[in-house]
Amino acid sequence: MALLFLDSFDHYSTSQFARKWTEVTGGVSINTTNGRRGTGSARIGNSTTQSLRKSLGTNAATIIVGFGVKLAGSISSAGYLFGFGDTGADQMTLFVNADATLSIRRATTNVATSVATLNLSGVYQYIEIKIVHGAAGSYELRLDGVNILSASGVDTTNTANNYANQILLFNRVGSPLTGFAIGTSIDVDDLYVCDGTGSSNNDFLGDVRVDCFLPSGNGNSSQFIGNDSNSTDNYLLVDETPANDDTDYVQSTNVSDKDTYAFPNMSHTPASIYGLQINMQASKTDSGLRTLQSVIRSDGVDTDGTAKALSSGYVNLMQISEVDPDTSAAWTQSGFDAAEFGVKVAA
């Protein structure tokens, strides 16, 4: 699998960041109307040490990240915008200079600086960065699809390891781990992360959109019990954004019970669908092991995802699907529109 992580910043609230991200520092927030299409964004504010860190669950020698970014105003001092991490240590970082040019750094050591500049008039631009880690590694930085920095045969590791296993979004100066904001807030939207493995999604995806879809109807299975004490119209109990936790919910104690839901059709025609990420906000209510798995129902057949352990507090469990299980090929708009998605008690 090459697609590792997606975020539209549309299906959770500021207080729920830690369900999806490994580490949240400072006052990072969800701005519900400042995304690229009037949807949500991650707002990294203009104050000391605000950042997000996501552990990817794999050691990726090659890693590719894309995201929309908007700077609200002028830059008062240079600072870090993005970074790759190795279990808490910094690998390659993306630095914004006071003149709005961008620099590739090995942790805090400057490697190269662009001629191109970021737009500071409050519009979104799309950044993509690819790192091949190694003593003779390579990097490429794209801004709105244009290569603005690249080189090969350069040292792209700051630690002893030729990989990264984390990404970081931050608004800081000084070291990536401490410092002050660059003088303006930063909004981030439409984030994707890939590694270099597999036969697809192993290179730049281009300027993509990451859309959030919420349940809109009953599916083929309705075996969970809602907080309304029945299994009727369960989709109405899991269609909120953000999730309202113990206000509306469905639950089951029976292994193999499942709920599947219909979802709205896509409102646009995508050139490609690189993959889906099923997000399940769930918790357990008693001691002992409990696991949950996603369900995709395509062309009348249910396909179960990987079993994921629950905790006593709500977590955001994620399952990536790069291909339609009915066709074993990339998702199409018609395939997505006809599919159901849901959850199953694994154990």
Side-chain angles (χ1 to χ4, degrees):
M1 180 178 290
L3 192 60
L4 302 178
F5 181 64
L6 304 169
D7 209 336
S8 67
F9 305 101
D10 293 326
H11 65 96
Y12 58 97
S13 65
T14 298
S15 64
Q16 296 168 349
F17 254 120
R19 298 182 185 182
K20 194 167 187 180
W21 289 79
T22 307
E23 177 186 286
V24 184
T25 304
V28 182
S29 63
I30 293 290
N31 187 314
T32 59
T33 61
N34 210 37
R36 290 210 293 168
R37 292 171 302 282
T39 55
S41 65
R43 168 65 62 87
I44 306 174
N46 179 31
S47 61
T48 305
T49 58
Q50 294 198 13
S51 64
L52 292 170
R53 182 187 297 268
K54 176 63 182 178
S55 293
L56 301 172
T58 187
N59 297 327
T62 299
I63 189 164
I64 309 101
V65 175
F67 55 94
V69 63
K70 179 173 70 173
L71 276 64
S74 61
I75 298 172
S76 61
S77 61
Y80 291 87
L81 176 61
F82 179 81
F84 295 98
D86 172 13
T87 317
D90 296 300
Q91 292 280 41
M92 301 298 284
T93 56
L94 181 60
F95 192 77
V96 182
N97 298 291
D99 61 359
T101 58
L102 293 166
S103 292
I104 294 287
R105 292 190 169 195
R106 188 172 55 255
T108 58
T109 301
N110 195 65
V111 175
T113 299
S114 71
V115 173
T117 60
L118 287 175
N119 189 314
L120 302 180
S121 60
V123 299
Y124 269 100
Q125 296 178 276
Y126 206 79
I127 288 176
E128 292 180 285
I129 182 170
K130 175 182 178 180
I131 302 293
V132 179
H133 292 88
S138 66
Y139 62 82
E140 183 175 347
L141 177 65
R142 295 184 179 184
L143 181 62
D144 290 331
V146 177
N147 179 345
I148 63 170
L149 279 177
S150 61
S152 59
V154 295
D155 187 0
T156 55
T157 57
N158 182 54
T159 73
N161 299 315
N162 292 331
Y163 58 73
N165 51 33
Q166 297 176 326
I167 61 166
L168 300 96
L169 293 168
F170 39 38
N171 182 358
R172 303 182 184 181
V173 299
S175 163
L177 301 180
T178 61
F180 301 92
I182 64 176
T184 183
S185 63
I186 299 170
D187 285 286
V188 174
D189 196 11
D190 294 335
L191 170 72
Y192 79 82
V193 185
C194 297
D195 65 18
T197 65
S199 59
S200 63
N201 297 339
N202 55 11
D203 207 338
F204 291 109
L205 301 185
D207 184 340
V208 302
R209 55 188 288 171
V210 182
D211 293 315
C212 174
F213 294 85
L214 299 167
S216 59
N218 293 314
N220 182 71
S221 298
S222 189
Q223 298 172 339
F224 280 45
I225 304 297
N227 64 286
D228 55 4
S229 301
N230 62 57
S231 299
T232 304
D233 291 336
N234 278 359
Y235 78 96
L236 292 173
L237 306 177
V238 292
D239 63 344
E240 295 82 15
T241 179
N244 61 13
D245 299 346
D246 291 333
T247 300
D248 287 348
Y249 58 87
V250 295
Q251 64 179 353
S252 176
T253 59
N254 301 318
V255 174
S256 296
D257 273 3
K258 60 184 170 183
D259 261 16
T260 58
Y261 313 109
F263 282 73
N265 291 346
M266 289 188 180
S267 60
H268 66 289
T269 301
S272 301
I273 300 175
Y274 296 111
L276 316 175
Q277 180 175 271
I278 302 170
N279 293 277
M280 304 165 283
Q281 300 217 40
S283 70
K284 64 178 182 177
T285 58
D286 204 350
S287 59
L289 175 67
R290 273 295 184 190
T291 57
L292 191 72
Q293 57 196 143
S294 64
V295 180
I296 298 174
R297 184 173 180 81
S298 182
D299 197 22
V301 177
D302 290 350
T303 301
D304 298 337
T306 304
K308 299 179 183 295
L310 296 172
S311 65
S312 56
Y314 280 94
V315 292
N316 190 117
L317 304 174
M318 291 163 280
Q319 180 73 52
I320 295 283
S321 171
E322 293 182 288
V323 299
D324 183 339
D326 177 52
T327 63
S328 298
W331 283 95
T332 63
Q333 182 176 3
S334 60
F336 172 84
D337 289 348
E340 299 173 9
F341 304 91
V343 292
K344 178 180 178 179
V345 180

